[in-house]
Amino acid sequence: MSDNSGNRRVRVRFAPSPTGPLHIGGVRTALYNYLFARQHGGDFIFRIEDTDTNRFVPGAEEYILESFRWLGLKFDEGVSFGGSYGPYRQSERRDIYRKHVDMLLDAGKAYIAFDTPAELEAKRNEIPNFQYDATTRMQMRNSLTMPADEVRSLVDAGEQYVVRFMIEPGREVVVDDIIRGRVVVSSSILDDKVLFKSADMLPTYHLANIVDDHLMEVTHVIRGEEWLPSAPLHVLLYEAFGWQDTMPRFAHLPLLLKPEGNGKLSKRDGDRLGFPVFPLEWHDPKSGEISSGYREKDYLPEAVLNFLALLGWNPGNDQEIMSLDELVGLFNLEKCSKAGARFNYQKLVWFNHEYILRKTDREVAELFRPILEEKGITASIERIETAVSLVKSRVNFVHELWDNSYYLFQAPAEYDEKSLKKWWKEDAPHTTAELCDFLESQDDFSGAVLEPKVMDWIASKGYPVGKVMNAFRVTLVGAAMGPQIFAITDFLGREETLRRARHALSVLS
Ligand code: GLU
């Protein structure tokens, strides 16, 4: 793969801000970073970008970590994982940022500005489309326009200030993006971004992000398209620090679009159409609002990852089912699309069905067991496994196994009206009673043995097979549904089969 990272070990990071639950788009970003790191034998870092204290939401960091535990995406280093480039939580790196802000100030690449919110507002009213940049900075209250000793005494007196990045106008800033190619922006349209605020002595996102990517030796920045507008500024910051030779390569991933394709996917689309936009259920600590999650909606993490992997990339053929390991082998960052990817959530239901089919019956049985226990049913894992084998092809979700197999674990408490009307005709009590007597004479209830015997018996009687067997089915299941009848009698065994059939006879006659 061509890139300018030379012989450096590939290092990528997922760097969420703990401002709420992780959006499903963030999961896709993390997945692409994971795949890229794995296929290059590199490192996948988890960094928390929490320098915006106003937007901090308690519990968000733990939620994000729990999401990745559920999904099975493992980080190599970072918050809660350790590593030799820490600390990995930005709020614990204040001194590092301060030092780097001073480096820019000393080099004359940044300056101190004292303009109050009211003063900035006044300027905005005075100058149309006001922007703090080369055209306006000399009209403002900052260290470029004020004598040095005045600046120093204001700072010493505790006057609030920000540090702004001094952007030189008239330059072409090139962002060489792996997915988007060469993006060129004129530096004249950029404003002198705030890098640091004395109010909380914390850097802004831009400074902390660049400093950390550099110090953590990040080689590739793979992130959502919404960060593309920040990239030219980031390129200029790398240059200002003199780090251009080790600047990471950028890859801005395509937007996730509404299922209909018009516009960006939002939480409202999920509410409107009934699908989650978060990996796990989220309980908002402020509003108390609960938002649904894929885990609680009974999606398999493998299905979610497979589905997300294909939102913005495909293997170049029509292969759709790919395990995480296969994805590591096939994924290609350079082949990611620039165009937004429609979030066709119905496809995820299909993936879930396919992943249930691909699991062993034992694996599915392990997932089904707690649901049975909740219904008050205890059965051996072998019994559950057999039940799963009979009905799993009919379900999209593990919880749907119950509606398709409850009768295997409990005798019918009632009989479905429609099924009775169709199959419990005048002669049904008679043929069923006769069939019971015949079954009484049989010892081996395994399907392969019993089926031909019953068929011979029915033939010898000259009864219509469908009529006899469907009436019999209703006595065992409570309705005309379920898998092959001899699979059911096999599962129930001689005693339970006869008990159910005779009970129905007494109730229905
Ligand atoms: N903290 C940013 C976020 O929340 C990170 C963006 C980036 O990856 O540079 O997504």
Side-chain angles (χ1 to χ4, degrees):
M1 174 166 297
S2 71
D3 62 43
N4 69 358
S5 56
N7 299 326
R8 297 165 78 203
R9 178 183 178 81
V10 165
R11 286 172 60 79
V12 295
R13 82 301 192 273
F14 182 63
S17 299
T19 54
L22 180 60
H23 192 272
I24 198 72
V27 178
R28 198 248 341 231
T29 298
L31 172 63
Y32 282 22
N33 275 281
Y34 171 90
L35 296 175
F36 188 77
R38 283 291 155 275
Q39 69 182 193
H40 289 92
D43 302 319
F44 180 39
I45 306 163
F46 182 63
R47 184 170 78 217
I48 286 287
E49 302 207 326
D50 58 348
T51 58
D52 189 348
T53 43
N54 294 323
R55 295 183 60 217
F56 179 82
V57 173
E61 180 184 307
E62 193 34 55
Y63 173 97
I64 295 168
L65 282 165
E66 176 65 18
S67 299
F68 291 117
R69 275 194 290 274
W70 177 65
L71 289 160
L73 285 189
K74 295 193 180 70
F75 291 89
D76 300 298
E77 57 181 84
V79 173
S80 88
F81 302 99
S84 47
Y85 294 76
Y88 293 93
R89 201 181 277 112
Q90 289 188 330
S91 57
E92 295 165 18
R93 299 171 63 82
R94 287 165 184 266
D95 297 348
I96 297 171
Y97 305 127
R98 179 73 241 191
K99 201 183 95 196
H100 283 85
V101 168
D102 288 341
M103 280 161 62
L104 291 181
L105 284 171
D106 292 347
K109 300 196 163 153
Y111 59 94
I112 291 173
F114 296 101
D115 317 272
T116 64
E119 286 167 345
L120 290 169
E121 187 54 33
K123 270 290 170 205
R124 267 183 225 117
N125 291 333
E126 178 193 324
I127 305 175
N129 303 321
F130 170 77
Q131 177 164 280
Y132 210 123
D133 61 17
T135 66
T136 56
R137 61 170 85 106
M138 296 315 282
Q139 311 168 30
M140 309 299 288
R141 272 199 333 125
N142 57 45
S143 57
L144 304 172
T145 59
M146 291 157 70
D149 51 350
E150 193 186 337
V151 170
R152 205 166 314 119
S153 62
L154 281 178
V155 169
D156 290 347
E159 176 109 353
Q160 301 237 319
Y161 64 88
V162 297
V163 175
R164 287 183 181 271
F165 187 36
M166 187 151 61
I167 291 190
E168 196 190 307
R171 274 205 42 204
E172 289 204 331
V173 189
V174 177
V175 179
D176 187 12
D177 191 285
I178 294 172
I179 297 171
R180 280 146 217 282
R182 235 172 103 89
V183 178
V184 185
V185 170
S186 163
S187 67
S188 305
I189 67 161
L190 305 175
D191 66 329
D192 290 355
K193 272 276 178 305
V194 173
L195 301 179
F196 184 86
K197 302 174 270 50
S198 71
D200 53 13
M201 293 303 268
L202 278 170
T204 57
Y205 155 75
H206 302 289
L207 183 98
N209 187 269
I210 263 48
V211 167
D212 286 351
D213 282 348
H214 174 71
L215 295 179
M216 295 177 186
E217 297 182 28
V218 167
T219 56
H220 297 79
V221 166
I222 305 168
R223 62 185 173 189
E225 178 178 88
E226 64 273 26
W227 301 101
L228 184 60
S230 303
L233 169 69
H234 293 182
V235 168
L236 290 175
L237 274 168
Y238 282 108
E239 285 180 14
F241 280 113
W243 298 333
Q244 56 274 30
D245 292 344
T246 53
M247 183 168 77
R249 294 227 39 207
F250 291 103
H252 289 92
L253 304 176
L255 223 52
L256 294 188
L257 303 177
K258 295 177 187 303
E260 301 90 341
N262 54 334
K264 191 174 158 220
L265 176 72
S266 76
K267 175 157 161 17
R268 245 174 299 137
D269 300 313
D271 295 342
R272 178 170 60 88
L273 298 164
F275 62 86
V277 296
F278 302 125
L280 315 180
E281 196 169 273
W282 168 255
H283 298 238
D284 190 285
K286 268 216 208 96
S287 67
E289 192 199 340
I290 297 178
S291 307
S292 69
Y294 282 98
R295 178 178 66 181
E296 289 72 15
K297 289 275 183 217
D298 206 19
Y299 286 83
L300 296 169
E302 308 90 307
V304 173
L305 288 180
N306 195 154
F307 167 71
L308 290 177
L310 290 166
L311 295 181
W313 168 84
N314 67 68
N317 54 32
D318 52 14
Q319 187 181 358
E320 293 189 294
I321 303 285
M322 285 163 277
S323 70
L324 201 51
D325 283 345
E326 284 177 282
L327 285 168
V328 167
L330 293 167
F331 181 70
N332 186 341
L333 191 58
E334 291 173 20
K335 293 269 161 66
C336 285
S337 109
K338 284 194 269 283
R342 273 193 319 124
F343 195 82
N344 47 348
Y345 63 100
Q346 283 107 337
K347 187 82 195 203
L348 178 49
V349 176
W350 176 82
F351 272 110
N352 213 63
H353 172 76
E354 291 296 315
Y355 271 89
I356 288 176
L357 292 187
R358 279 167 171 77
K359 279 187 182 296
T360 65
D361 295 338
R362 175 59 73 105
E363 286 168 333
V364 180
E366 299 284 5
L367 297 172
F368 187 29
R369 175 150 56 180
I371 296 171
L372 287 172
E373 277 165 4
E374 221 170 85
K375 307 276 184 191
I377 283 160
T378 39
S380 72
I381 195 70
E382 290 78 17
R383 294 280 289 166
I384 303 174
E385 200 178 329
T386 307
V388 163
S389 74
L390 296 179
V391 300
K392 77 169 178 181
S393 64
R394 299 160 187 246
V395 304
N396 291 326
F397 296 95
V398 170
H399 71 261
E400 290 175 353
L401 288 167
W402 171 251
D403 278 348
N404 285 278
S405 71
Y406 61 88
Y407 51 85
L408 295 176
F409 302 100
Q410 59 190 24
E414 53 193 25
Y415 302 90
D416 172 58
E417 279 299 330
K418 261 211 206 129
S419 308
L420 287 177
K421 220 171 153 223
K422 182 148 189 221
W423 297 110
W424 198 255
K425 300 272 170 65
E426 318 72 77
D427 45 353
H430 172 70
T431 57
T432 307
E434 273 194 317
L435 177 56
C436 283
D437 291 342
F438 174 74
L439 291 174
E440 204 91 55
S441 70
Q442 299 300 309
D443 295 324
D444 193 340
F445 261 56
S446 56
V449 174
L450 194 63
E451 177 168 4
K453 296 212 168 146
V454 171
M455 287 304 144
D456 286 350
W457 175 79
I458 293 179
S460 73
K461 288 281 176 181
Y463 293 151
V465 179
K467 261 182 152 180
V468 175
M469 294 317 284
N470 276 303
F472 181 52
R473 171 185 290 278
V474 174
T475 70
L476 301 183
V477 173
M481 61 175 254
Q484 216 257 354
I485 186 76
F486 293 101
I488 297 176
T489 52
D490 190 337
F491 185 88
L492 297 177
R494 183 169 184 275
E495 201 183 319
E496 176 67 5
T497 298
L498 284 163
R499 207 182 59 74
R500 287 192 189 187
R502 293 217 190 273
H503 177 76
L505 275 173
S506 73
V507 176
L508 296 175
S509 301

